[in-house]
């Protein structure tokens, strides 16, 4: 499904995914995990599906000694593990691998960039040398250096119709100040239009479908406001613990790792106003406007509206898990949160007074991401005698992953002579409707970056506004160790305090349910 059809970016690009400009993708950090796990498998699949430009090269830049041949061999082996389609098509791989080249060098060494320049010159004097996508799969502390170096070599702002773009990965800073500093570093030598900040949630098909669903279905759009919606729940739960990422997680925590980026992105797509067009700036303007209308949180509000949690030892579906404090590279008295639940209010015309509940956590009973729009109940007068307060409110659930789909819950009469009402469901499953179509988020994002369409990337003011929200929460937590009510056993739905957060307004969390299971009920 294609929701985006915005025209080319100011810095070149033709906006047409069918006729993409020839270009070279330079991956800084080519020896890293991301390259082998995500980037090369994504490029291989785009190539396999004839979606890459007719002519392209990929140059991997990293410190380790490698040749083109050894890098290709290494990536081929990694593909066996990380490709979403198996087995790897050897013919396709051989044709694809001919386009992969390695450039050995240190990110801080001027000579290495000269080498890169020479390598690019070897691709001729046309677009392969001029249209350049620099992918920074490196630590943010190195962004500034790399951008300055490629600028100095004349690779960044070429004259004429050629384009150069920079793709950056998260974490994009760890607070507002550091994100602003990164933005300053990136835009010292590049224009904002050249910077593509990744949030891989925006590459997910179902996340993109949120806008399509909202703005192409009049039956739902007219209900999408405070008149009809009682509250909204967004759950992004994960069965995995922090595993071997304890070191990173100690610095991040769930708020920085999931809420500041992925969850606020989903929230802004769910709640934003219709954009004037599907052009990148129009969509991003509305997302930023939405983020700015989230009610500010004082430290006292944080105490009332935000719940954090940390898992202790338990079992996820029978699989024993250590407590967070026992994970490798985690301090034994760590106060880092592995769970966050939020009650946010959006102070605008559409949503005034409607609570938005968000929760995310590690070591929860299910891995599932979904948005549930719960509608206001009908006056409970007709069926009160039979159903009491049990009459369920209507709800619409957008299941983002896994088992992608949408289902609507409403009330129906149980067949028989008694008046008995119970919730029933209508559901749409992507799988059943369109067949299994599961491109990785990175495929879409790389394609959009090559095409120069920034809609699915985070704009400077967007990332900064999201950090302001996260920073306010951190300020509220400052110097407050976790209390007993904030711990949860691995394998449960988070701390009790998260349930209390909803109970304040008479709400309860709804557990994500597998659509397939519902269909068979
Ligand atoms: C990443 C986080 O950004 O997103 C991880 O760093 C998290 O901690 C992951 O597990 C979740 O992504 P997905 O696509 O598996 O939902």
């Amino acid at each position: 499904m294609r929701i985006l059809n915005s025209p080319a970016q100011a810095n070149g690009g033709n906006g047409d995914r069918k006729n993409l400009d020839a270009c070279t993708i330079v991956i800084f950090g080519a020896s890293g995990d991301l390259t082998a796990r995500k980037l090369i498998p994504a490029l291989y699949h785009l190539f396999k599906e004839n979606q890459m430009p007719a002519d392209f090269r990929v140059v991997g830049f990293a410190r380790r000694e490698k040749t083109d041949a050894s890098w290709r061999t290494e990536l081929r082996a990694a593909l066996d593990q990380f490709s979403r389609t198996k087995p790897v098509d050897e013919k396709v791989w051989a044709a694809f691998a001919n386009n992969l080249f390695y450039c050995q060098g240190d990110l801080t060494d001027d000579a290495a960039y000269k080498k890169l320049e020479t390598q690019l010159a070897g691709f001729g004097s046309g677009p392969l040398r001029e249209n350049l996508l620099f992918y920074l799969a490196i630590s943010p502390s190195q962004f500034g250096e790399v951008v300055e170096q490629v600028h100095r070599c004349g690779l960044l702002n070429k004259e004429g119709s050629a384009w150069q773009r920079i793709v950056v990965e998260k974490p994009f800073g760890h607070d507002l100040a550091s994100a602003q500093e990164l933005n300053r570093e990136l835009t010292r030598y590049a224009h904002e239009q050249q910077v593509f900040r990744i949030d891989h949630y925006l590459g997910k098909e179902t996340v993109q479908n949120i806008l399509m669903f909202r703005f192409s279905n009049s039956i739902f759009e007219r209900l999408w406001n405070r008149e009809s919606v009682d509250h909204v729940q967004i759950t992004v739960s994960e069965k995995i613990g922090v595993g071997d990422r304890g070191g990173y997680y100690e610095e991040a925590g769930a708020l920085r790792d999931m809420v500041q980026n992925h969850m606020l992105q989903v929230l802004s797509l769910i709640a934003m106003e219709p954009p004037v067009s599907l052009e990148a700036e129009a969509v991003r303007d509305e997302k930023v406007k939405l983020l700015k209308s989230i009610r500010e949180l004082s430290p006292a509000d944080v105490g009332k509206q935000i719940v954090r949690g940390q898992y202790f030892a338990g079992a996820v579906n029978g699989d024993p898990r250590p407590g967070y404090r026992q994970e490798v590279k985690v301090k034994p008295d760590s106060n880092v949160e592995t769970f966050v639940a939020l009650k946010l209010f959006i102070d605008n015309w559409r949503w005034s007074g409607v609570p938005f509940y968000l929760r995310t956590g590690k070591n929860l009973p299910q891995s599932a991401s979904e948005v549930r729009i719960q509608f206001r109940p009908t006056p409970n007068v007709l069926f009160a005698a039979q159903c009491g307060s049990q009459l369920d409110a209507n709800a619409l659930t957008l299941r983002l992953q896994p088992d992608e789909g949408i289902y609507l819950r409403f009330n129906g009469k149980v067949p028989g002579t008694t008046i008995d009402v119970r919730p029933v469901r209508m559901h749409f499953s992507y799988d059943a409707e369109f067949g299994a179509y599961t491109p990785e988020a990175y495929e879409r994002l790389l394609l959009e970056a090559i095409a120069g369409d920034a809609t699915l990337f985070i704009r400077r003011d967007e990332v900064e506004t999201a950090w302001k929200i996260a920073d306010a929460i951190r300020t509220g937590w400052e110097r407050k160790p976790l209390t007993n009510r904030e711990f949860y056993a691995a394998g449960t739905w988070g701390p009790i305090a998260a349930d209390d957060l909803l109970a304040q307004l008479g709400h309860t969390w709804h557990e994500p349910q597998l659509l397939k299971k519902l269909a068979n009920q």
Side-chain angles (χ1 to χ4, degrees):
M1 191 167 347
R2 182 137 227 103
I3 61 162
L4 303 163
N5 192 20
S6 72
Q9 287 277 297
N11 188 41
N14 55 24
D16 177 358
R17 318 303 183 272
K18 291 248 168 323
N19 190 19
L20 294 173
D21 297 336
C23 66
T24 295
I25 301 165
V26 181
I27 304 175
F28 290 97
S31 290
D33 217 32
L34 186 76
T35 305
R37 265 176 192 273
K38 298 286 183 192
L39 304 183
I40 295 297
L43 290 169
Y44 159 78
H45 280 105
L46 289 173
F47 180 78
K48 189 164 175 241
E49 280 147 31
N50 289 322
Q51 292 190 292
M52 286 296 281
D55 206 5
F56 72 95
R57 304 281 185 277
V58 178
V59 177
F61 184 110
R63 205 171 33 198
R64 286 185 214 159
E65 281 293 346
K66 276 175 210 171
T67 61
D68 294 343
S70 66
W71 192 48
R72 291 173 189 177
T73 310
E74 202 176 276
L75 294 175
R76 172 64 192 84
L79 205 57
D80 276 337
Q81 201 181 341
F82 302 119
S83 171
R84 70 174 165 84
T85 56
K86 300 207 173 116
V88 173
D89 185 325
E90 294 302 344
K91 255 188 158 155
V92 172
W93 168 259
F96 171 72
N98 280 337
N99 300 295
L100 304 179
F101 299 88
Y102 190 74
C103 179
Q104 189 275 328
D106 192 300
L107 292 175
T108 56
D109 178 12
D110 300 359
Y113 295 87
K114 290 268 170 269
K115 202 154 80 180
L116 174 65
E117 203 189 335
T118 312
Q119 196 150 357
L120 294 173
F123 298 153
S125 57
L128 291 177
R129 184 187 184 176
E130 307 264 292
N131 292 335
L132 303 170
L133 189 76
F134 297 109
Y135 201 112
L136 310 192
I138 49 178
S139 148
S141 60
Q142 298 165 312
F143 289 174
E145 167 88 33
V146 172
V147 175
E148 185 177 348
Q149 290 275 13
V150 291
H151 164 77
R152 229 189 278 148
C153 295
L155 294 175
L156 197 52
N157 287 301
K158 291 180 176 285
E159 301 281 309
S161 60
W163 52 260
Q164 298 83 43
R165 302 183 185 121
I166 301 167
V167 182
V168 295
E169 273 292 330
K170 71 162 254 214
F172 197 86
H174 56 269
D175 57 10
L176 175 61
S178 56
Q180 284 172 327
E181 179 53 28
L182 277 180
N183 278 330
R184 273 194 294 273
E185 285 187 1
L186 285 169
T187 53
R188 195 165 292 144
Y189 301 104
H191 302 290
E192 169 63 21
Q193 291 92 325
Q194 292 175 279
V195 181
F196 288 63
R197 297 174 193 80
I198 288 220
D199 183 316
H200 80 278
Y201 264 58
L202 294 183
K204 290 180 192 274
E205 193 68 25
T206 39
V207 174
Q208 292 163 42
N209 189 40
I210 294 174
L211 288 192
M212 179 58 97
F213 177 79
R214 282 191 53 194
F215 300 125
S216 68
N217 292 301
S218 62
I219 51 172
F220 297 113
E221 180 49 19
R222 63 193 52 193
L223 300 178
W224 218 261
N225 54 51
R226 62 190 297 276
E227 303 296 332
S228 308
V229 175
D230 183 69
H231 71 275
V232 176
Q233 297 187 11
I234 303 179
T235 294
V236 176
S237 60
E238 295 186 282
K239 270 161 75 170
I240 52 167
V242 301
D244 55 9
R245 296 168 78 218
Y248 156 77
Y249 212 80
E250 279 285 275
E251 299 297 317
L255 183 72
R256 290 183 173 120
D257 188 45
M258 297 296 287
V259 177
Q260 183 274 342
N261 38 59
H262 311 323
M263 297 208 70
L264 288 182
Q265 282 300 316
V266 173
L267 172 64
S268 56
L269 291 171
I270 285 291
M272 68 187 242
E273 293 301 310
V276 290
S277 75
L278 288 178
E279 283 186 24
E281 295 322 323
V283 173
R284 300 194 299 178
D285 283 348
E286 292 306 332
K287 284 165 66 195
V288 174
K289 226 167 82 187
L290 188 281
L291 291 175
K292 286 189 173 159
S293 45
I294 294 176
R295 190 182 300 164
E296 278 181 31
L297 296 162
S298 67
D301 297 332
V302 172
K304 289 187 217 126
Q305 290 176 231
I306 314 292
V307 169
R308 58 186 170 158
Q310 189 190 85
Y311 60 83
F312 58 86
V316 178
N317 305 139
D319 181 20
R321 301 289 167 86
Y324 177 69
R325 290 178 174 180
Q326 286 84 55
E327 302 274 16
V328 180
K329 296 198 184 146
V330 169
K331 288 201 231 69
D333 58 351
S334 172
N335 277 308
V336 167
E337 76 289 351
T338 58
F339 176 97
V340 195
L342 309 88
K343 177 165 74 173
L344 299 177
F345 290 97
I346 297 171
D347 284 338
N348 67 12
W349 195 259
R350 185 188 287 264
W351 294 118
S352 177
V354 177
F356 282 74
Y357 300 112
L358 284 66
R359 67 173 166 172
T360 184
K362 302 271 189 215
N363 267 335
L364 300 187
Q366 277 188 49
S367 287
S369 303
E370 65 176 41
V371 179
R372 179 187 163 96
I373 314 289
Q374 178 144 332
F375 295 98
R376 288 184 186 279
T378 50
N380 195 13
V381 288
L382 284 183
F383 306 106
Q386 290 80 12
C387 310
S389 57
Q390 296 306 308
L391 199 61
D392 269 53
N394 297 162
L396 178 80
T397 301
L398 279 74
R399 171 60 87 102
L400 307 179
Q401 65 183 20
D403 192 17
E404 293 82 354
I406 296 175
Y407 68 90
L408 182 65
R409 201 172 73 148
F410 52 95
N411 292 310
K413 181 181 176 306
V414 180
T417 49
T418 55
I419 296 187
D420 207 355
V421 182
R422 79 158 169 82
V424 293
R425 295 175 182 90
M426 263 171 28
H427 86 271
F428 145 69
S429 140
Y430 273 83
D431 227 9
E433 189 73 26
F434 300 114
Y437 174 68
T438 48
E440 280 270 336
Y442 276 89
E443 292 172 38
R444 181 62 190 270
L445 294 174
L446 279 161
L447 197 62
E448 296 301 310
I450 295 170
D453 188 327
T455 315
L456 300 183
F457 297 85
I458 315 295
R459 205 168 63 185
R460 178 180 190 149
D461 49 352
E462 206 174 345
V463 78
E464 293 182 3
T465 311
W467 273 121
K468 260 186 218 160
I469 298 167
D471 282 3
I473 298 173
R474 294 219 77 82
T475 307
W477 288 345
E478 231 157 35
R479 286 187 288 279
K480 290 200 186 106
L482 289 164
T483 61
N484 282 345
R485 286 167 48 78
E486 292 170 316
F487 287 93
Y488 62 100
T492 63
W493 279 107
I496 309 271
D499 294 337
D500 298 347
L501 181 71
L502 269 68
Q504 292 163 7
L505 294 175
H507 297 139
T508 48
W509 290 108
H510 281 263
E511 285 183 22
Q513 286 176 303
L514 279 182
L515 295 181
K516 283 191 187 116
K517 211 165 99 199
L518 292 176
N520 297 331
Q521 268 175 13

